[in-house]
Amino acid sequence: MDEEENTDDKLTLSLEAQNALQSFLTERHQHQAQFDELRARSTQDTPNNGDPTTMISMEAFAEDWNASQFWYDDATATTLAEQLLDEANQHSCIAVVSAPSVFVKLKHLMAMRESTQRPTVWLLEFDRRFDIFNEFVFYDFNRPFQLPAHLKGTCDRILCDPPFLSEDCQTKAATTVAWLTRSTTASDRLNADPRLPRFVTCTGQTMAPLLQRLYRRVGLRSTSFRPRHVKGLSNEFRCYANFECPAWTWEDGSEGVP
């Protein structure tokens, strides 16, 4: 009798597992179909020659945890995008490295600006689903300089969220940031915004000692802002920047990355 009950339990669990798997596959198929439709619509012209991709939200992109994808919640993406856009104009160039949710929010915010006042924006990202955007540039942190030559030394506002909490990933991402950064001459520095170039890096708190070494020259420091993710993260996440703003201040006693 016990053996028979155990067999029934195994059959029941097996059926539940099959149903769960079927539900997962159905949901994934539906999501892919919706995304394919979205991609098709994005290539179509819109009234007044508008950019159809400004209407795309992060809901169109399912997270891939195997690729270490964890999207920011809307409030976090908005805060980060607003600080990148603050006082930016048509001469500014913004690079968003491995943080597509911030890029998408930037697209939404820029759509409300006059076209003549919009900065240039680039998304450097490994996930090719985001090539739906004209601003997409394929980026593999393992090849930090394998990027279009025209991007070198052009960006004065850069946000980077390295996908992995490892010294290798963080170091290679930092070399990409340095490669992208716009250089300034002595005369430029006399007239430029002292907060430029702006750097923001969001990553785990455990990376702080490494960040201190990697970004010492640009004055990166720990801030009071705490990024949040849609589905949460188990590790302590922090925002580091080389400027203060209405959204954050330096952490008490912060000198460089603490």
Side-chain angles (χ1 to χ4, degrees):
M1 188 65 165
D2 288 342
E3 181 178 349
E4 192 173 312
E5 287 179 353
N6 288 337
T7 301
D8 290 342
D9 288 342
K10 290 179 181 179
L11 289 174
T12 300
L13 290 174
S14 178
L15 289 173
E16 289 175 353
Q18 289 180 28
N19 289 336
L21 177 61
Q22 185 59 48
S23 177
F24 169 77
L25 293 175
T26 299
E27 182 179 352
R28 187 171 68 174
H29 176 74
Q30 292 174 343
H31 194 277
Q32 184 61 47
Q34 293 171 353
F35 184 79
D36 290 342
E37 181 182 354
L38 180 63
R39 179 181 289 278
R41 290 206 311 269
S42 72
T43 61
Q44 300 172 358
D45 291 333
T46 54
N48 302 318
N49 296 318
D51 180 357
T53 63
T54 59
M55 304 303 295
I56 296 175
S57 74
M58 286 304 294
E59 293 180 0
F61 304 92
E63 293 176 339
D64 182 353
W65 292 1
N66 290 325
S68 192
Q69 288 183 333
F70 305 95
W71 305 150
Y72 293 129
D73 65 20
D74 189 69
T76 295
T78 299
T79 296
L80 294 172
E82 287 177 342
Q83 302 319 309
L84 292 173
L85 280 176
D86 181 41
E87 299 186 15
N89 55 38
Q90 70 273 24
H91 304 297
S92 305
C93 184
I94 301 172
V96 179
V97 184
S98 304
S101 51
V102 176
F103 168 79
V104 169
K105 182 56 65 174
L106 278 170
K107 293 277 289 185
H108 294 171
L109 295 176
M110 288 196 303
M112 295 182 280
R113 289 189 172 197
E114 293 290 337
S115 59
T116 56
Q117 293 299 311
R118 295 173 188 168
T120 299
V121 178
W122 299 103
L123 170 65
L124 279 63
E125 172 59 41
F126 185 81
D127 188 343
R128 291 189 183 275
R129 290 179 299 170
F130 290 95
D131 68 5
I132 196 171
F133 299 101
N134 292 330
E135 301 90 344
F136 172 85
V137 176
F138 177 75
Y139 173 64
D140 181 351
F141 76 86
N142 289 302
R143 298 174 176 82
F145 304 123
Q146 194 169 323
L147 294 164
H150 67 83
L151 293 181
K152 184 177 181 179
T154 61
C155 302
D156 52 17
R157 299 154 189 266
I158 303 173
L159 180 141
C160 182
D161 182 351
F164 299 103
L165 300 181
S166 70
E167 182 171 349
D168 179 62
C169 179
Q170 299 279 334
T171 301
K172 288 175 179 176
T175 60
T176 298
V177 169
W179 186 88
L180 291 167
T181 303
R182 178 183 294 173
S183 60
T184 56
T185 64
S187 58
D188 289 336
R189 286 192 289 271
L190 290 175
N191 301 307
D193 182 341
R195 295 180 299 171
L196 293 179
R198 293 189 183 187
F199 297 99
V200 182
T201 297
C202 296
T203 190
Q205 186 179 24
T206 57
M207 294 290 101
L210 177 61
L211 296 181
Q212 185 175 19
R213 299 198 302 271
L214 295 175
Y215 294 96
R216 185 184 302 277
R217 290 186 177 181
V218 301
L220 203 72
R221 297 171 66 174
S222 178
T223 75
S224 58
F225 181 63
R226 296 291 183 266
R228 305 287 183 184
H229 297 78
V230 173
K231 297 182 181 179
L233 282 181
S234 58
N235 59 291
E236 290 292 327
F237 218 73
R238 293 290 186 268
C239 174
Y240 305 90
N242 69 337
F243 63 96
E244 290 184 291
C245 60
W248 61 68
T249 57
W250 304 132
E251 292 274 49
D252 291 342
S254 172
E255 294 183 4
V257 180

